[in-house]
Structures are given as structure tokens and as C-alpha cells.
Amino acid sequence: MSVTEVELPPIFCPLEPGIHSRVRDIEARAEKWVRSSGMGGDEELAWIVASHSADFFARFAPTADADRLLVAALWVYWGFGFDDARCDNGPLSADPGAFAALAGRVQRAVEAPSAASASEPYIPALKDIVGRFRAFGGPAQLRRFAVAHRAWLSGVTWQIGNASRGHMPDLDEFLAMRLLSSGGEPTFAMLELATGVEVPGREMHRPVVRALTEMAIAIAALDNDRHSLRKELSRGHTDQNVYTVLMRHQDLSVQEAVDAATRLRDRVMLRFLDVQERVLPQAGEELRHYLSGLRYGVRGNAEWGLRVPRYLSLGHVPGGLDDTPLEWAQRPATDDRSPLRLPAVAWWWDEDLLSR
Amino acid sequence: MSVTEVELPPIFCPLEPGIHSRVRDIEARAEKWVRSSGMGGDEELAWIVASHSADFFARFAPTADADRLLVAALWVYWGFGFDDARCDNGPLSADPGAFAALAGRVQRAVEAPSAASASEPYIPALKDIVGRFRAFGGPAQLRRFAVAHRAWLSGVTWQIGNASRGHMPDLDEFLAMRLLSSGGEPTFAMLELATGVEVPGREMHRPVVRALTEMAIAIAALDNDRHSLRKELSRGHTDQNVYTVLMRHQDLSVQEAVDAATRLRDRVMLRFLDVQERVLPQAGEELRHYLSGLRYGVRGNAEWGLRVPRYLSLGHVPGGLDDTPLEWAQRPATDDRSPLRLPAVAWWWDEDLLSR
């Protein structure tokens, strides 16, 4: 099936959008930083800039302080650059042993201000970003970001390991891996750093708040698989995403996989909406702020993904942000509110656990 | 150089020892659990029992509730078993891609109560343990354990990756890796679960408390390298430990490496003692309790390691706990209190950061 024959249904996302009023100013400052970051050559930097990460994170935290938002955006630029250069392409993308060592050194640079860069140009740039976080973030916020950063790298190592041995995970393994490798953990952990609003540990670590965070990550990750499908198909990529997993293990065509993935994603969205509605009335002010960040983030990720040249440009020169109006689904692709029969995530429907 | 020619100096450890009064009862209950855990065959289980993990953790938390201490001890038995069967030996010990996937599924079992076991006998046993933690642990304690567990697995993946490509890390990389792969993170994270005393986040995540935790882990890990040196030498193992690292990169003999490693370890111990003394007066009650756990743990790990058949038995049948009196060094092997010139850990001497 060719690229143009796949019909991608519009996204169901009944969440309020938002974007920071100073997004263009922040984006300009971020681009200047990227171009002087030393992370790569001109073409690499052009693609990093074209991720429009400031636009991305300005949608996650529309009310944040602009200076803090800038630093969070810098990490997103950094993350896209690192992902493209060291995870998805290049010699390490098929060498889990070498990647695990790089991931270990990168993570040490997040946790130990004195850590060495050892000839990896992405490490000094990361240390600059984390040093800025350290200047305004509280100890718990910094720690939450650091552990989220490790979670992401562990997921990337898992994905590279699968690719290196030609292992296509089943849907259950894929979701557990994708929750990590998508980068959603550090991205959402930056909500607190950007807004300065810290959720008390007794609320943040409740199973129900973890479940909502994971669901937000899952929705955004599945939306990103959707965003990149045309590009993946046009390039003949057969890497691990929700469609290749469904096609392989459930013997589906591309179109059938698109429809099945949409239903899967919408079931998670329905659960996210239901659980959130129940949590909000009992949530403290900081938690309410965090949950609004999850909603803004899911919505913002979808809007950004529908327009960003990272996913839309099939050629080598990244274009600008598309600005055609977006079309949204009026209803979910399914009304099924029963628990997903996927052990890795079935606990999102565990009423007993979520009421603790 | 043969095994018997290496002279291992006594350990410098001016920390008060302790052991839980009900250690034998807890050990008996734990052994019963191990034997019915399904983790492996009879010989494998005999070695797991011979880790005397209840004795080990009873020294970390001498005042803990016995029922909670039991569960923490179960995890230590589990960890030694998993380490021997899946990390240090067997087909995965040279296959970082396959190990990363197993680590991902194991970690998911810690975080998602619904996670599947998928034919890995160590996973149901782990789920049993974590389910017990969940029954009495607070959300923050459980979360701290979970992220520490991931840190450990990421370090093991790093180590396996190095081994698989014949890469002997330099001392700086080795320390960053060993801080994780030693298992010290989850072990010390269980202090709070076992004692029930939770350190507030604003204290727990202060750089100085992180530094003390990392130093305790480093000392215990280096002591464990010492404990296992004779066994490693007798088996001709050339795997990554502080001695093989020093021998390779600083061109030292075994005896010179032993002496250099002892000085390195004692410099960390001196720093641990100095920093702790400064923190204690301003620490809240819970933090003081946690810091006493770090001290008990470092001391207990050394005592246990000097006696346990895991390190002493050169043959195939594990013996019992040795009970000869232990000899300790009266003074450190060095008086050098200057910062280690190893970027991964140099920040432990960063006065500015540690005063925040």
C-alpha cells in the first residue's frame, strides 16, 4: 500500500489548547542557543531548529515563566537532536552495548555536575541545560527530572536492543517500552520545572497520578507514531511503532493497523478523561496545575505534530510550521470503556489501586 | 600472581555495627520463601539461600519492624539470584540487547501491578515482593524504590554492554557504572520501606544527601570488589572490577591495584565521615534516621562480606556463615582529603553545591 492510500482519521482530543504568549520570542532565543550549542554540523542543527521545540513546549506550559520555559524548550531541542543523531540513526542505533555506555555517561551528566563530557558533543549542551535547571529548580523537581531522564534512556536502550536483534515486540512489550522511549517522562517532568509549581510527593506518587501521567505519555506517543507514519512509509522504515507491531503480530494491513491503533489510543483517552474528572475535585492546587499541564501537553503535542516539518517534510530541507486549520474528530473511534487486556497497562483500570 | 600471594589489608570502617535481634527468625522465614519461590532449581536456590541476605539486611536496619525487614531481605535474596542467573552468567550476560528487554520487563513488573511474567521465573517472585511493599509502603517510598530499581538495571545493562564488546572502562566510567550496577540504589532505598521512616523530599533530594547516599554505595561496592577478589582470581575471571580497571589503565600489578583501590576507597570514606558530621546537626529526625541507616549499611555490608560463603566458598557447595572475629584497620590507608580527580564523583567535594 502506498503512502497516499492510507487514510489517517482525524484525532479525537477534547482538551483545551493553549500556547504561551511569548512563544516567538522564546523560540528565537532557543534557536540562537541551538546554533551555538556545538551539538552538530549545520544540517544537523537546521533539523534540530526545525523541531520547533519551543512551539511544542509553549503549548505544554502556556502560563509558565518565559525564562524557565526557555530552558525546558532547550531540553526538547536537545532531546530531538540526540534522538536523531544517536538513537534513531548512526552507529549506536544498532549497538545496544555501546549505546548503554553512552546513555550511562549522558545520565551521569544530568546527575553529577562535575561529570566529564569525554568527546561527546551532546553532553556539554545537556550540562548547560541542567545547570540552568539547577539554578531555579527545587531539589525534588530536579530529582524527578533526573529519574525521568533515566527512564527515557532505558527505553531507548530497550528499543535499540530489539532493533539490533531483529526482534519486533508484541503490543504489550511495545507499550511498556514506548512509554519510556517516547521521551514523555522527562517532557512531562519538566512541567514542574517550567511552571515552578511543585506537587507534594504524597499526591504526585499516588498510583492514580502515576496512571494519569502514563496515560498522557501513551496518548502522545501513539499520536507521534501517527504523525510519523507517512514519513516512515515513504522511507520504507520498518522500525518498531504501533503499526508495525500490529501488522506483525495481528496480521493486519496498514489501514487495519491504523484503525486498530486509533481505537486503542482512544480507549486510553477515554480512560484518561474519566480518571481525571474523578481526581480533580479532591486534588490540591499544585496537583490541579500539574493535571492541567498533562492536558495541555497531550493537546499541544497533537497540534504540534500535525504541523511540524519533523513529521511533514519528506525531503532533506526542513520547511516552516504549517498553519492550515486543524480538523479534529468529533467523537472517539470506540465507546469501549473496558480495561485494555494488555498486562503492562491494565492497572490503569484497577479501581482499587487508583482509589488509594 | 596467585590467589594466596595477594595481601588484602583489613578494612577501615569506624562506624557502629548493629544487627536486628530477630535476625535468625527472619532468616528462617526468608529461606522458606526462597525455596518455594520458583526462581530456579535446587542448586540455584541453595546459592541464593547462601547469600544470607537476611543477615545482610538485618545489619542495615537493626531497629526495623521484623515483618517489613523480612520483605526487604526477600528482595536482597531475589537480587542476588537474579544477578547470578541473568546478569553475571548465562546467555544474557553477553547480550546487552536481550538483557535490556528483560530489564525493561522486570522493571515494568515493579511499576505496574498488572504486568505479565512472560515465562521469566524471576518476575513472579519479584511481583510477590513488590506487592508486599505496596501493602505497607507509602507512595513516595515505593516510588523511590522503583526508580532506584531502574537505576540498578541500567547499570547492569551498561556493564553487560561493556563486557559484550570487550570494553574495559577507565576508572571514571567504572565508578559511574558501579554506583548503579552494584545494586546499592535499591538496597539503600529499602531503608525507608523497612523502617517506615520517610525522609521529606526537600531533605532527601538535597545534593548533600544524594552525595552521602552515593558515597555509601561507592564504599560498599568497592568493599564488595575486595570481598570477591580471591574468588575472581581463583576462577580466572577478568570482568570489570576496581582491580581489573586499575591494572589495565594504570598498568598496575594485582598487589599495586589492591593498594590503590584501598586508598581510593578510604578517601571516599573520609569524605563520607566529614560530610555526614556536618549534615547531622541540621538534619530532621527522619533524615538522621536515614543517615544512621547508611552508616549501618556500610558497616553491615563489610561485616557480611567478610563472612558470607558467596565470596568465601571457592567450590560448588556453599558453606555456612563464617564466625571468626573480624579484624579492622585502625586508620585509613591515606590521609588525603583532597577531592578525587574523577569527574563522575568530584562533585562530592563541591562545597558550594553541598551547602544548598
Side-chain angles (χ1 to χ4, degrees):
Chain A
M1 183 178 269
S2 81
V3 180
T4 49
E5 284 171 58
V6 182
E7 194 189 316
L8 285 171
I11 294 176
F12 173 67
C13 197
L15 301 171
E16 196 193 343
I19 189 163
H20 198 280
S21 59
R22 292 179 55 194
V23 55
R24 292 311 144 209
D25 169 46
I26 294 163
E27 184 161 39
R29 290 164 68 193
E31 288 182 8
K32 199 173 156 192
W33 179 88
V34 170
R35 294 194 197 281
S36 65
S37 66
M39 290 190 285
D42 286 348
E43 198 192 326
E44 197 172 333
L45 295 180
W47 272 105
I48 294 174
V49 164
S51 70
H52 292 283
S53 298
D55 181 276
F56 173 83
F57 209 76
R59 298 175 188 277
F60 278 62
T63 62
D65 171 79
D67 291 333
R68 288 167 172 246
L69 178 55
L70 169 69
V71 186
L74 295 186
W75 184 83
V76 183
Y77 284 102
W78 181 91
F80 280 123
F82 184 79
D83 214 38
D84 283 343
R86 302 288 183 271
C87 308
D88 287 345
N89 303 285
L92 299 186
S93 65
D95 186 343
F99 184 81
L102 174 62
R105 287 166 45 211
V106 164
Q107 182 62 25
R108 192 65 191 158
V110 172
E111 301 194 35
S114 55
S117 301
S119 72
E120 168 48 68
Y122 276 90
I123 292 182
L126 178 61
K127 290 183 68 173
D128 178 6
I129 295 165
V130 176
R132 292 167 189 237
F133 280 147
R134 210 171 275 125
F136 62 73
Q141 293 167 15
L142 293 166
R143 180 70 183 156
R144 288 173 190 173
F145 174 73
V147 301
H149 204 270
R150 168 170 285 125
W152 165 56
L153 291 169
S154 76
V156 176
T157 309
W158 187 350
Q159 184 170 346
I160 287 175
N162 284 349
S164 75
R165 57 206 179 97
H167 169 67
M168 181 62 74
D170 63 20
L171 189 56
D172 192 54
E173 180 188 341
F174 172 76
L175 282 180
M177 180 195 81
R178 194 80 174 93
L179 280 170
L180 304 169
S181 66
S182 69
E185 289 282 359
T187 303
F188 282 115
M190 289 193 303
L191 285 174
E192 289 185 301
L193 284 163
T195 63
V197 181
E198 181 174 315
V199 184
R202 69 179 178 284
E203 285 198 286
M204 192 61 164
H205 303 308
R206 280 183 59 201
V208 71
V209 178
R210 270 306 294 163
L212 285 167
T213 301
E214 289 191 0
M215 285 189 260
I217 293 171
I219 298 166
L222 292 170
D223 284 346
N224 290 351
D225 278 3
R226 177 194 183 283
H227 298 317
S228 55
L229 175 61
R230 287 188 200 280
K231 193 159 181 169
E232 295 280 324
L233 285 174
S234 74
R235 287 181 172 179
H237 276 195
T238 54
D239 206 5
Q240 303 151 68
N241 59 54
V242 69
Y243 311 108
T244 53
V245 163
L246 287 167
M247 288 161 73
R248 173 78 62 90
H249 289 285
Q250 300 184 16
D251 200 26
L252 304 182
S253 68
V254 181
Q255 188 62 57
E256 289 167 336
V258 165
D259 296 340
T262 304
R263 287 192 300 273
L264 169 69
R265 182 264 184 214
D266 285 357
R267 280 174 73 174
V268 179
M269 174 61 95
L270 288 173
R271 183 63 182 166
F272 176 78
L273 295 170
D274 288 349
V275 173
Q276 234 215 172
E277 206 161 279
R278 258 180 6 203
V279 171
L280 277 170
Q282 21 149 330
E285 189 184 334
E286 298 88 354
L287 178 56
R288 280 204 304 278
H289 204 77
Y290 174 76
L291 296 176
S292 82
L294 294 184
R295 292 194 303 273
Y296 280 130
V298 169
R299 172 75 183 206
N301 178 72
E303 293 180 335
W304 165 88
L306 290 167
R307 287 180 165 146
V308 70
R310 176 177 170 88
Y311 295 126
L312 299 176
S313 295
L314 301 182
H316 276 300
V317 181
L321 272 183
D322 186 10
D323 61 358
T324 52
L326 300 174
E327 184 201 347
W328 300 94
Q330 294 305 305
R331 56 187 59 82
T334 175
D335 291 326
D336 189 350
R337 284 182 146 81
S338 66
L340 279 172
R341 279 190 288 188
L342 294 164
V345 301
W347 74 274
W348 296 341
W349 283 262
D350 184 332
E351 298 296 344
D352 179 46
L353 195 63
L354 266 49
S355 65
R356 287 189 198 174
Chain B
M1 182 178 269
S2 81
V3 180
T4 49
E5 285 171 59
V6 182
E7 194 189 315
L8 284 172
I11 295 177
F12 173 67
C13 197
L15 301 171
E16 196 194 343
I19 189 163
H20 198 280
S21 59
R22 292 180 54 195
V23 55
R24 292 310 145 213
D25 168 45
I26 294 164
E27 184 160 39
R29 290 164 69 193
E31 288 182 8
K32 198 172 158 195
W33 179 88
V34 169
R35 294 194 197 281
S36 65
S37 65
M39 291 190 287
D42 286 348
E43 198 191 325
E44 198 172 332
L45 294 180
W47 272 105
I48 294 174
V49 164
S51 70
H52 293 280
S53 298
D55 181 277
F56 173 83
F57 209 76
R59 298 175 188 276
F60 278 62
T63 62
D65 171 78
D67 291 333
R68 288 168 173 246
L69 178 56
L70 169 68
V71 187
L74 295 187
W75 185 84
V76 183
Y77 284 102
W78 181 92
F80 280 124
F82 184 79
D83 214 38
D84 283 342
R86 301 288 184 269
C87 309
D88 287 347
N89 302 286
L92 299 186
S93 65
D95 187 343
F99 184 81
L102 175 61
R105 286 167 44 211
V106 165
Q107 181 63 25
R108 192 65 190 158
V110 171
E111 302 194 35
S114 55
S117 301
S119 73
E120 168 50 66
Y122 276 90
I123 292 182
L126 178 61
K127 288 183 70 173
D128 178 8
I129 295 166
V130 176
R132 292 167 188 236
F133 280 148
R134 211 172 274 124
F136 61 72
Q141 292 167 15
L142 293 166
R143 179 72 183 154
R144 288 174 190 171
F145 174 73
V147 302
H149 204 270
R150 167 170 286 124
W152 165 56
L153 292 169
S154 77
V156 176
T157 310
W158 188 349
Q159 184 170 345
I160 288 175
N162 284 349
S164 75
R165 57 204 178 99
H167 170 67
M168 181 63 73
D170 64 20
L171 189 55
D172 192 54
E173 180 187 341
F174 172 75
L175 282 180
M177 180 195 81
R178 193 81 175 94
L179 280 170
L180 304 168
S181 66
S182 69
E185 289 281 359
T187 303
F188 282 115
M190 289 192 304
L191 285 174
E192 288 185 302
L193 284 163
T195 63
V197 181
E198 181 175 317
V199 184
R202 68 178 179 284
E203 284 197 287
M204 192 61 164
H205 302 308
R206 281 183 60 200
V208 71
V209 178
R210 271 305 295 162
L212 284 167
T213 301
E214 289 191 0
M215 285 189 261
I217 292 170
I219 297 166
L222 292 170
D223 285 347
N224 290 352
D225 278 3
R226 178 194 183 283
H227 297 317
S228 55
L229 175 61
R230 287 188 201 280
K231 195 158 181 171
E232 296 281 323
L233 285 174
S234 75
R235 288 181 172 181
H237 275 195
T238 54
D239 207 4
Q240 303 151 69
N241 59 52
V242 69
Y243 310 108
T244 53
V245 163
L246 287 167
M247 288 161 71
R248 173 77 62 90
H249 289 285
Q250 300 185 16
D251 200 28
L252 304 182
S253 68
V254 181
Q255 188 62 57
E256 288 167 335
V258 165
D259 296 340
T262 304
R263 287 192 300 271
L264 169 69
R265 182 264 186 215
D266 285 357
R267 280 174 74 174
V268 178
M269 174 61 96
L270 288 173
R271 183 64 182 166
F272 177 79
L273 295 170
D274 288 348
V275 173
Q276 232 212 174
E277 204 160 282
R278 257 179 8 201
V279 170
L280 278 171
Q282 20 150 330
E285 189 184 334
E286 299 88 354
L287 178 56
R288 281 205 302 278
H289 204 76
Y290 174 76
L291 295 176
S292 82
L294 294 184
R295 292 194 304 272
Y296 279 130
V298 168
R299 173 74 184 207
N301 178 72
E303 292 179 337
W304 164 88
L306 290 167
R307 288 180 164 147
V308 71
R310 177 177 169 85
Y311 295 126
L312 298 176
S313 295
L314 301 183
H316 277 297
V317 181
L321 271 183
D322 186 10
D323 61 358
T324 51
L326 300 174
E327 183 200 349
W328 300 94
Q330 293 308 304
R331 55 187 60 82
T334 175
D335 291 326
D336 190 350
R337 285 182 145 80
S338 64
L340 280 172
R341 279 189 289 186
L342 295 164
V345 301
W347 75 275
W348 295 341
W349 282 262
D350 184 333
E351 298 295 344
D352 178 46
L353 196 63
L354 266 48
S355 65
R356 287 190 198 174

